[in-house]
Amino acid sequence: MTDSKLTDNKMIDNKEIIKRDGWFRVKVAGDRMTAYLELEPPLGEGKWPTKADAFQLLQSEGIVYGINEAAIDQIITEGVNQTVVVAKGTPPQHGKDSEIELLFETGPIRKFFYTEDAEKVDYRDIQTVQVVQTGQVIAEKIPATKGEPGFDVFGHKIEPQAGKDKFIKLGNNAAWTGDKLKIVSKINGEPSFVNNQLNVYPVHEVKGDVNLESGNITFPGNVVIHGNVDSGFCVEAEGDITIYGNVEAAVIKAGGNLTVLGGINGQGKCNINCNGDFTSKYIENTKVDCGGSVIVKEAIMHCEVNANSQVLVKMGKGLIVGGVIRAGETIVAKNVGSKFGTVTELEVGVKPKLKIEQQELETSLVDNKEKIDKAQKAIAILGKVPHLPPERQAMYKNLLKTVTILQDQNKKLEARRKELIEEMTVLSKERSKIRVKGIIFPGVKVTIAGAVLNVLDEYKYVSLSYSEGEVIVQGY
């Protein structure tokens, strides 16, 4: 803080006549980006400070950047005790991160499921297969920028933070151009983008149904089936799978996204597994494990569904009834459960894959401990024998080696269990929600981030979330 002032007091008729000139005072914010000018008015016949005094003070303090001359005029003109912002620095403009612009639809059926007029869309009009040609540009990179420097009120340069380079993995049949700004296809095929990896897969089309005539389908690319998948058959692809018809009690495994334009009636024997997003008209008596989101148009009935991201049943009937539905983040439906009290479980807040891994890990720890206990008992027995024959000595050494190996395995398993618990704990509880636009019926069990609510009364148009160890019910 700096000021300038002048006091000249005189005695007249034994009375002190106060005469003090007005002055300016400067204050600078801690981040050096703002300077404030204060005016102390004169006393008695003292002089008012001038604009020149203000500039002289600013100069003496080294304030040279972003000076607001109008603010100085204002403070002098109004002539009262006040503070004005007399100078402002310019913050740096940090650089933008690079971006990857995909030049193809990453989920063609997703447009159908999210559009407001989805129920009016004719399935026959949906083009699910996108074919690119060899050498075609399928993605472009917008490079990161360095940003623009800023300046504080003292004129000191503030360097910007450069944008970061976004990383994208290239999988099958995709390559950068020489300038690293474009990605092209190496084959005629269908592009796919899942888990930040870009692939171009060859496409295998089945003109009719998957049945005795076609046999099981296993293909290192994308598969398009124009008919149904009958009971007892298996379709497996490294890329995306698109099925125009219905699926019965079959096994479907997709390395990418899975789209079923019809529905699935699994009869309790259908297993669906995909690393990307899964979309279908309806699913019934089916187990689904999905690395992305599960998007169903009409209903999920008596299913076990595990989705790492979301489960959305927002159109048509929008019904979830029976079974267990788990999502890492959000479940959204129109109606959940039934007026008959059908047992239905909804769980959000923990990624199902992490929970499954934890359960498998706990089983492995228990199994290893049992093996270690048995081996140590055998070691104790053999250790009491004074002279072991050669074959028993070999057994003794193998048991010691086995115990060491199992103990090392358990150390690694314990470390991974700790990581899993931490990862499951820090998952955002704020994003873990269940939203029901219609009715959630009694008989529904809700679990959010470990907190449990057994629904005993009908709720309409509600949002369920986590707060301080409890599931709370609020308006939609």
Side-chain angles (χ1 to χ4, degrees):
M1 180 191 301
T2 302
D3 54 44
S4 58
K5 54 189 175 182
L6 176 62
T7 303
D8 183 12
N9 298 345
K10 296 181 180 180
M11 297 292 295
I12 300 178
D13 297 332
N14 295 321
K15 293 183 181 180
E16 185 178 21
I17 304 301
I18 298 175
K19 178 184 178 184
R20 186 189 70 191
D21 293 343
W23 77 89
F24 290 113
R25 180 185 295 113
V26 171
K27 293 182 179 179
V28 179
D31 62 1
R32 303 162 66 96
M33 296 298 288
T34 309
Y36 303 91
L37 187 66
E38 294 182 356
L39 170 64
E40 188 72 25
L43 294 178
E45 298 178 358
K47 296 179 181 178
W48 282 89
T50 66
K51 191 172 183 179
D53 294 332
F55 275 105
Q56 184 178 358
L57 177 59
L58 293 172
Q59 186 176 9
S60 68
E61 286 299 302
I63 297 171
V64 296
Y65 183 87
I67 296 175
N68 184 352
E69 190 173 342
I72 299 174
D73 291 335
Q74 174 192 342
I75 198 170
I76 292 174
T77 301
E78 294 182 2
V80 293
N81 288 9
Q82 62 173 307
T83 301
V84 296
V85 175
V86 73
K88 286 187 70 70
T90 300
Q93 298 296 315
H94 296 307
K96 294 182 179 180
D97 295 345
S98 67
E99 296 180 14
I100 304 293
E101 182 181 358
L102 301 176
L103 303 181
F104 59 92
E105 294 292 343
T106 57
I109 197 67
R110 191 176 304 165
K111 277 187 165 183
F112 159 70
F113 276 98
Y114 278 111
T115 179
E116 291 295 327
D117 296 325
E119 296 182 43
K120 300 178 182 178
V121 175
D122 189 337
Y123 278 102
R124 293 168 296 183
D125 292 336
I126 301 170
Q127 299 298 316
T128 58
V129 180
Q130 300 178 90
V131 177
V132 296
Q133 307 300 317
T134 302
Q136 182 175 333
V137 178
I138 54 177
E140 293 183 346
K141 180 177 182 178
I142 302 172
T145 60
K146 294 181 179 179
E148 296 292 334
F151 295 89
D152 63 21
V153 295
F154 299 103
H156 299 146
K157 188 176 181 181
I158 305 171
E159 294 294 343
Q161 181 179 328
K164 296 179 181 179
D165 198 32
K166 185 175 182 180
F167 174 72
I168 184 173
K169 294 181 285 186
L170 296 190
N172 298 318
N173 306 311
W176 287 104
T177 54
D179 57 8
K180 299 292 183 182
L181 294 179
K182 296 178 181 179
I183 300 172
V184 297
S185 173
K186 296 166 68 175
I187 64 167
N188 294 342
E190 185 174 15
S192 174
F193 185 69
V194 174
N195 295 332
N196 200 42
Q197 179 165 298
L198 181 56
N199 296 276
V200 181
Y201 291 116
V203 179
H204 175 67
E205 290 196 64
V206 178
K207 298 297 184 181
D209 298 338
V210 174
N211 51 24
L212 286 172
E213 185 176 346
S214 67
N216 293 328
I217 306 293
T218 302
F219 189 68
N222 290 358
V223 171
V224 178
I225 298 166
H226 291 273
N228 305 316
V229 180
D230 291 352
S231 295
F233 289 90
C234 177
V235 178
E236 188 169 355
E238 290 183 11
D240 299 341
I241 297 176
T242 302
I243 301 169
Y244 280 80
N246 300 312
V247 176
E248 296 178 350
V251 174
I252 313 292
K253 296 181 181 179
N257 302 310
L258 170 61
T259 301
V260 180
L261 274 71
I264 300 176
N265 188 343
Q267 305 164 39
K269 299 176 182 178
C270 180
N271 286 292
I272 301 294
N273 192 299
C274 68
N275 287 331
D277 295 338
F278 165 58
T279 55
S280 181
K281 185 177 181 181
Y282 66 87
I283 51 176
E284 183 175 358
N285 292 302
T286 297
K287 181 179 180 183
V288 177
D289 290 303
C290 176
S293 295
V294 170
I295 308 165
V296 176
K297 179 182 178 183
E298 292 286 346
I300 300 177
M301 298 172 287
H302 309 288
C303 295
E304 179 184 344
V305 175
N306 299 302
N308 257 22
S309 185
Q310 303 180 86
V311 175
L312 306 176
V313 196
K314 302 196 296 183
M315 291 174 292
K317 295 178 181 177
L319 173 65
I320 296 176
V321 60
V324 181
I325 313 299
R326 304 183 186 95
E329 296 176 7
T330 308
I331 296 174
V332 181
K334 284 187 177 179
N335 298 289
V336 179
S338 74
K339 61 182 179 181
F340 304 109
T342 306
V343 176
T344 307
E345 296 184 30
L346 306 182
E347 181 176 345
V348 294
V350 176
K351 292 185 178 181
K353 281 191 175 182
L354 296 183
K355 191 168 185 177
I356 292 169
E357 184 184 352
Q358 185 195 24
Q359 292 170 345
E360 293 173 347
L361 188 148
E362 298 290 353
T363 301
S364 297
L365 281 169
V366 172
D367 289 345
N368 281 358
K369 189 176 184 304
E370 290 177 356
K371 292 175 183 177
I372 290 171
D373 289 343
K374 288 180 181 179
Q376 286 177 334
K377 288 177 182 177
I379 289 169
I381 293 170
L382 291 172
K384 294 177 181 179
V385 179
H387 300 290
L388 288 172
E391 64 273 11
R392 293 288 182 177
Q393 289 180 9
M395 181 186 295
Y396 184 79
K397 290 179 181 178
N398 285 335
L399 287 169
L400 290 172
K401 185 176 180 182
T402 298
V403 169
T404 301
I405 291 172
L406 290 173
Q407 287 175 338
D408 287 343
Q409 286 181 358
N410 271 10
K411 285 181 182 177
K412 293 177 181 177
L413 290 172
E414 291 280 3
R416 177 56 184 157
R417 178 169 66 176
K418 185 178 179 181
E419 290 176 358
L420 277 175
I421 291 172
E422 290 177 356
E423 191 172 351
M424 291 165 71
T425 301
V426 300
L427 283 174
S428 174
K429 292 172 182 174
E430 293 182 0
R431 291 193 301 173
S432 302
K433 294 183 185 296
I434 295 172
R435 299 170 62 199
V436 181
K437 196 170 184 179
I439 302 173
I440 181 167
F441 290 92
V444 175
K445 177 182 177 182
V446 172
T447 304
I448 303 180
V452 178
L453 171 67
N454 290 301
V455 178
L456 303 178
D457 301 300
E458 276 190 16
Y459 293 114
K460 294 182 179 180
Y461 210 70
V462 293
S463 174
L464 296 90
S465 58
Y466 177 94
S467 178
E468 299 180 352
E470 295 183 346
V471 175
I472 59 171
V473 182
Q474 298 174 304
Y476 187 85

